[in-house]
Amino acid sequence: MKFCVKCGRVVDAEYYISKYSVCVDCYLKYYGVFTEKPVLNIVICPKCGSWRLSGEWIESKPFNEILKQVFMLNSSKFLDRDVGVIDLDIIGEPRSIQRNRFRVEALLKAVINGVELKDIVFELEYVLEKKTCPRCIEFASRKHEVL
């Protein structure tokens, strides 16, 4: 049994974050899972809908899947290192905040110290860059390989 320095509750050791000497609820309330505001950079081809992930162009997918995959790949940049991501669901419609910058409401399922946290609703921001993929450039320039 451990003592939370913020709320004064006595909790089991598995629901205690020893790094901050608080229970899981106080950790979420006072510290949170994010070390910085999550902002994703998404590059998508305006012609075919394929998108770039880690330097490679990938076939078109539903946009929510793209956001999820990019977030999962970059989650270590935004989350406390003790937090592990279980799943991310996009629960809202994207809202434009600038010309190519958008926000969408998301639901994060995470774990810390082996304890699954309650669902965390947050605003996920992303920058959408439109860039023509190499395949569409080749097609537009009529540069085809002869078989």
Side-chain angles (χ1 to χ4, degrees):
M1 302 298 270
K2 300 283 185 166
F3 176 77
C4 176
V5 297
K6 293 284 187 182
C7 68
R9 287 189 318 186
V10 176
V11 294
D12 290 333
E14 62 187 33
Y15 295 104
Y16 186 75
I17 313 299
S18 57
K19 179 179 176 182
Y20 299 103
S21 301
V22 295
C23 64
V24 171
D25 292 334
C26 289
Y27 173 77
L28 290 172
K29 183 176 179 180
Y30 295 106
Y31 301 103
V33 295
F34 295 104
T35 55
E36 63 181 71
K37 182 179 172 184
V39 178
L40 304 177
N41 292 313
I42 298 178
V43 180
I44 195 163
C45 177
K47 299 199 185 296
C48 69
S50 61
W51 57 288
R52 193 168 69 192
L53 179 66
S54 300
E56 292 184 31
W57 287 92
I58 300 172
E59 292 298 316
S60 179
K61 288 184 178 183
F63 196 71
N64 287 353
E65 288 298 316
I66 295 171
L67 282 175
K68 181 178 178 177
Q69 198 167 352
V70 172
F71 181 84
M72 295 296 210
L73 185 68
N74 295 302
S75 64
S76 62
K77 295 177 186 175
F78 312 118
L79 294 174
D80 188 328
R81 69 173 185 216
D82 297 328
V83 175
V85 176
I86 296 173
D87 195 22
L88 178 81
D89 292 320
I90 306 302
I91 56 175
E93 290 296 317
R95 297 180 313 280
S96 178
I97 56 174
Q98 286 181 355
R99 193 182 63 155
N100 65 338
R101 206 170 185 92
F102 300 87
R103 279 195 189 132
V104 66
E105 202 166 273
L107 179 79
L108 178 67
K109 294 178 181 163
V111 65
I112 186 166
N113 286 355
V115 176
E116 189 171 331
L117 302 173
K118 59 184 176 182
D119 294 346
I120 302 161
V121 177
F122 70 101
E123 293 257 313
L124 178 61
E125 192 170 313
Y126 62 93
V127 177
L128 187 63
E129 181 184 343
K130 294 182 178 180
K131 187 175 185 178
T132 307
C133 69
R135 192 176 66 205
C136 289
I137 290 172
E138 286 178 12
F139 185 75
S141 66
R142 294 177 178 26
K143 180 183 169 186
H144 302 290
E145 292 182 14
V146 177
L147 297 176

